[in-house]
């Protein structure tokens, strides 16, 4: 899987928007961009994914650069419950039936009350 | 409720002892996975299974063993050959042909 680069940590004030960046300059045409997050002492949780177009769901929005070499996860109003480590992962759909997720260190988001 | 359960939440292992971590899912998912997480690090894949009675090694399989006799269950045994077993162990599952993985709450293994 292609490599991603994320800042080690970020801070946000509660109820403000948060933009979490991810660089993936070696992304291939078949790579999907996935985001997971992990709250302290819990298993990771799926957040959102996309290929080329921007995506929205109830948890977040994903903005993908036109050249696909970077993307940004957007939390529209940060809450204390959003404090977690956020992982940006590239996955290529090879049709093999199972997919190995390669987790880097992610970005630790702190939310300030 | 559908989901993935892991037990126990905390497990203590003595030197030279094998221990087995349980992972059960009632989501009817075909694929199941085991990951290891060390403090401040990302997850690393130990083993994965796409179907019953079949499994493949991940990146760090040495010192671990698994079985997949039932679709719902994918237990992980940490053998005495694993010299540094202290870690947070996470089990996940995914439906066939789906990339999204659903994780259990994890088991924290400590060596006495």
């Amino acid at each position: 899987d292609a490599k991603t680069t994320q800042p080690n940590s970020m801070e946000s004030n509660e109820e403000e928007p948060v933009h979490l960046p991810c660089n993936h300059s070696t992304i291939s045409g078949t790579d999907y961009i996935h985001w997971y997050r992990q709250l302290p002492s819990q298993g990771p949780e799926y957040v959102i994914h996309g290929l080329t177009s921007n995506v929205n769901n109830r948890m977040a929005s994903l903005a993908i650069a036109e050249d696909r070499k970077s993307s940004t996860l957007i939390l529209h109003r940060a809450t204390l419950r959003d404090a977690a480590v956020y992982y940006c992962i590239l996955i290529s759909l090879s049709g093999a039936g199972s997919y190995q997720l390669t987790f880097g260190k992610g970005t630790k988001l702190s939310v300030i009350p | 409720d559908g989901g993935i359960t892991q037990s126990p939440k905390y497990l203590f292992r003595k030197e030279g002892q094998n221990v087995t971590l349980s992972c059960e899912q009632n989501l009817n998912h075909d694929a199941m996975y085991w990951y290891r997480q060390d403090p401040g690090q990302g997850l690393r894949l130990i083993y994965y299974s796409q179907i019953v009675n079949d499994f493949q090694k991940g990146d760090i399989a040495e010192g671990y063993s698994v079985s997949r006799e039932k679709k719902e269950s994918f237990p992980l045994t940490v053998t005495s050959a694993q010299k540094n077993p202290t870690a947070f162990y996470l089990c996940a599952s995914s439906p066939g042909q789906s990339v999204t993985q659903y994780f259990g709450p994890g088991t924290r293994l400590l060596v006495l």
Side-chain angles (χ1 to χ4, degrees), chain B residues 55-76:
Chain B
F55 48 84
Q56 285 79 40
K57 294 182 179 180
D59 299 323
I60 55 165
E62 185 175 350
Y64 301 96
S65 66
V66 293
S67 62
R68 186 86 187 277
E69 297 177 1
K70 298 187 298 182
K71 189 176 185 178
E72 305 80 29
S73 179
F74 191 40
L76 173 74

Side-chain angles (χ1 to χ4, degrees), chain A:
Chain A
D1 291 325
K3 183 174 177 171
T4 62
T5 304
Q6 300 177 253
N8 289 334
S9 62
M10 292 184 65
E11 277 189 354
S12 173
N13 293 319
E14 195 176 9
E15 298 193 2
E16 289 187 357
V18 183
H19 290 233
L20 297 164
C22 181
N23 287 321
H24 29 78
S25 58
T26 59
I27 191 171
S28 73
T30 57
D31 284 337
Y32 279 73
I33 303 159
H34 283 247
W35 284 82
Y36 282 74
R37 73 179 185 181
Q38 185 176 22
L39 278 65
S41 297
Q42 294 187 29
E45 173 188 32
Y46 166 81
V47 177
I48 199 167
H49 78 278
L51 183 62
T52 56
S53 303
N54 295 343
V55 184
N56 300 297
N57 66 19
R58 62 175 181 82
M59 291 181 70
S61 296
L62 177 60
I64 301 172
E66 195 168 336
D67 64 5
R68 302 212 323 128
K69 294 187 176 181
S70 65
S71 60
T72 302
L73 179 70
I74 303 166
L75 307 179
H76 296 286
R77 287 183 66 209
T79 70
L80 297 178
R81 289 176 295 178
D82 291 323
V85 177
Y86 287 79
Y87 298 98
C88 171
I89 301 167
L90 301 183
I91 304 172
S92 186
L93 299 186
S94 63
S98 67
Y99 302 93
Q100 301 181 44
L101 303 183
T102 302
F103 287 79
K105 294 186 179 180
T107 297
K108 183 175 182 179
L109 175 66
S110 300
V111 179
I112 303 167

Side-chain angles (χ1 to χ4, degrees), chain B residues 70-110:
Chain B
K70 298 187 298 182
K71 189 176 185 178
E72 305 80 29
S73 179
F74 191 40
L76 173 74
T77 297
V78 184
T79 73
S80 58
Q82 173 49 246
K83 298 306 179 187
N84 186 23
T86 296
F88 189 43
Y89 290 87
L90 289 155
C91 178
S93 70
S94 65
Q97 300 300 319
S98 171
V99 180
T100 303
Q101 293 187 13
Y102 299 84
F103 285 81
T107 292
R108 198 167 295 278
L109 176 62
L110 300 168

